[in-house]
């Protein structure tokens, strides 16, 4: 079993520190929105669905300690918490989905009662409502990973040799993962001959996290460097690529970890299917195409240093886009908790979304 990624236990939320994996199991505690946003930004936890659950718990724990004395104060403090959390990372839609969902609960609670004088009993009631909603978001995430794994494992053929990129496993969700969940479910059905995890420079989510998860699930697997993918596809009979997603535009263009787009091009060239597994809160119907998705640009240190070791000369300029956009035309199917979207186009995405 993968250790719990987030534990809501007031006065704290505890997050498994993924920066230390696979070498050390250690939890970072946060007690408000600011600390939770910092944990998200600093990659204590990561992966789109988990970021959403973490932000929900960050909003809830913050509310507990706001101790407002008026409706106005409550409104101001909860809006402040929502804003801080939403500024932590820009690309994963799950974060915005979770925070907006909780803040909407707060707003309708206030609107229904604001003609009456503020009372601490109301505040206690709101805390319960918000905490329940945060737990609900987490439970929905767990349930979707099970559903996606089911649908996705049916999609994979017997003797599958797959590549996955970044970490779209249990560590990226509160459940069994998206892309890696599909691989482990297919493995349990005896369909996985071999799985390759690409190391995922510069943050090594593949080597540190996915490799660790695949080994624990006893999936026959090997770790490759990102630049080995084409050769491995050509020489090792890779017959599917499966990844997660951080945000999917209405037309199916998909933002995922930097390097995903190159793998999709390789899949097209080698005529193998390219699958994306992602829950519904990843789909952004407000954005027509991937061009509108904001790509997070992270700091240069993560590229120049490996842990504390400098690996590039002082003074070198660095680019560090953390995600890229894979056009819908390169995606064979999107696996959601509501079923398979194939072919990937606006119409099919909308139908799946509304199911
Ligand atoms: O920067 P990260 O580690 O948060 O990026 C994570 C990814 O890109 C994952 O592939 C994505 O969130 C899908 S997770 C189920």
């Amino acid at each position: 079993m993968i250790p719990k990624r987030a534990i809501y236990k007031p006065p704290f939320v505890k997050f498994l520190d993924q920066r230390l994996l696979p070498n050390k199991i250690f939890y970072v505690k946060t007690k408000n929105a600011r600390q939770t946003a910092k944990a998200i930004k600093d990659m204590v936890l990561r992966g789109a669905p988990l970021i959403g659950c973490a932000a929900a718990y960050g909003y809830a724990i913050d509310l507990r300690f706001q101790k407002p004395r008026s409706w106005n104060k409550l409104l101001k403090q909860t809006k402040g918490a929502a804003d801080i959390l939403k500024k932590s990372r820009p690309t994963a839609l799950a974060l915005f989905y979770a925070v907006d969902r909780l803040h909407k609960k707060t707003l309708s609670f206030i609107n229904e009662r604001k003609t009456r004088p503020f009372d601490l009993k109301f505040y206690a009631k709101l805390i319960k409502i918000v905490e329940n909603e945060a737990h609900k978001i987490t439970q929905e995430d767990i349930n979707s990973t099970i559903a996606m794994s089911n649908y996705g494992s049916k999609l994979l053929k017997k003797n599958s040799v797959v590549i996955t990129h970044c970490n779209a496993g249990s560590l990226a969700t509160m459940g069994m993962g998206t892309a890696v969940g599909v691989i482990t479910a297919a493995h349990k059905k005896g369909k996985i001959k071999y799985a390759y995890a690409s190391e995922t420079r510069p943050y090594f989510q593949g080597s540190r996290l996915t490799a660790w998860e695949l080994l624990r699930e006893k999936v026959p697997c090997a770790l490759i460097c990102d630049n080995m993918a084409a050769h491995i596809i050509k020489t090792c009979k890779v017959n599917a690529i499966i990844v997660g997603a951080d945000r999917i535009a209405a037309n199916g263009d998909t933002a995922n970890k930097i390097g995903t787009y190159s793998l999709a091009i390789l899949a097209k060239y080698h005529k193998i299917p390219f699958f994306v597994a992602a829950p519904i809160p990843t789909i952004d119907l407000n954005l027509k195409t991937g061009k509108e998705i904001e790509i997070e640009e992270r700091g240069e240190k993560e590229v120049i240093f490996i842990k504390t070791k400098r690996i590039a000369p002082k003074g070198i300029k660095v680019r560090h886009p953390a995600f890229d956009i894979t056009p819908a035309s390169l995606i064979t199917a999107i696996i959601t908790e509501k079923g398979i979207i194939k072919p990937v186009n606006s119409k099919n995405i909308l139908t799946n979304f509304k199911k």
Side-chain angles (χ1 to χ4, degrees), residues 38-296:
K38 186 169 182 331
I40 295 172
K41 197 178 172 61
D42 292 351
M43 307 284 273
V44 169
L45 64 118
R46 28 66 50 206
L50 183 61
I51 291 173
C53 299
Y57 284 143
Y59 183 95
I61 205 76
D62 197 276
L63 177 64
R64 256 184 181 262
F65 295 97
Q66 285 168 7
K67 311 237 172 356
R69 296 216 182 93
S70 68
W71 290 120
N72 267 348
K73 260 259 166 336
L74 176 62
L75 191 61
K76 204 171 154 207
Q77 285 169 330
T78 49
K79 163 109 177 40
D83 287 347
I84 287 171
L85 287 161
K86 290 205 283 188
K87 277 189 193 128
S88 57
R89 293 189 75 187
T91 306
L93 181 63
L95 180 140
F96 299 85
Y97 166 83
V99 173
D100 287 344
R101 189 163 142 183
L102 293 195
H103 196 53
K104 217 167 137 195
K105 282 267 167 207
T106 302
L107 293 182
S108 64
F109 184 90
I110 295 175
N111 279 337
E112 279 166 24
R113 291 165 182 83
K114 68 179 181 211
T115 50
R116 287 183 262 168
F118 182 79
D119 183 326
L120 281 181
K121 270 191 227 140
F122 286 143
Y123 172 51
K125 196 168 176 192
L126 177 64
I127 292 173
K128 275 271 144 295
I129 291 174
V130 164
E131 286 180 342
N132 284 343
E133 196 68 8
H135 289 311
K136 211 169 145 199
I137 289 173
T138 291
Q139 193 53 51
E140 285 168 10
D141 174 52
I142 295 170
N143 296 346
S144 345
T145 63
I146 297 170
M148 278 183 280
S149 303
N150 253 324
Y151 285 119
S153 60
K154 283 182 194 146
L155 212 55
L156 290 182
K157 296 209 170 77
K158 228 176 172 306
N159 287 321
S160 278
V161 180
V162 299
I163 292 186
T164 187
H165 186 54
C166 192
N167 172 263
S170 299
L171 289 164
T173 68
M174 290 294 273
M176 58 187 289
T178 59
V180 176
V182 170
I183 295 171
T184 50
H187 169 61
K188 286 192 179 115
K189 292 180 180 166
K191 288 176 143 187
I192 300 291
K193 194 168 168 195
Y194 217 74
Y196 292 94
S198 50
E199 68 173 353
T200 320
R201 275 283 288 151
Y203 221 76
F204 300 105
Q205 290 93 331
S207 52
R208 292 185 302 105
L209 310 176
T210 305
W212 191 59
E213 288 186 357
L214 290 173
L215 278 182
R216 286 171 83 109
E217 294 291 340
K218 302 204 169 9
V219 179
C221 62
L223 173 66
I224 59 171
C225 299
D226 299 338
N227 51 4
M228 296 172 188
H231 177 73
I232 293 290
I233 292 170
K234 193 168 148 188
T235 58
C236 299
K237 299 197 168 74
V238 172
N239 51 26
I241 296 180
I242 176 155
V243 299
D246 285 78
R247 194 182 290 239
I248 300 174
N251 70 341
D253 291 352
T254 293
N256 192 49
K257 180 54 55 194
I258 191 77
T260 302
Y261 177 35
S262 346
L263 285 174
I265 293 170
L266 286 177
K268 181 95 176 168
Y269 182 81
H270 291 275
K271 300 188 176 54
I272 59 173
F274 184 87
F275 300 122
V276 171
I280 293 291
T282 314
I283 298 176
D284 193 341
L285 292 180
N286 294 320
L287 306 183
K288 270 198 190 134
T289 74
K291 275 194 195 139
E292 294 168 55
I293 299 177
E294 185 181 343
I295 304 271
E296 176 183 12

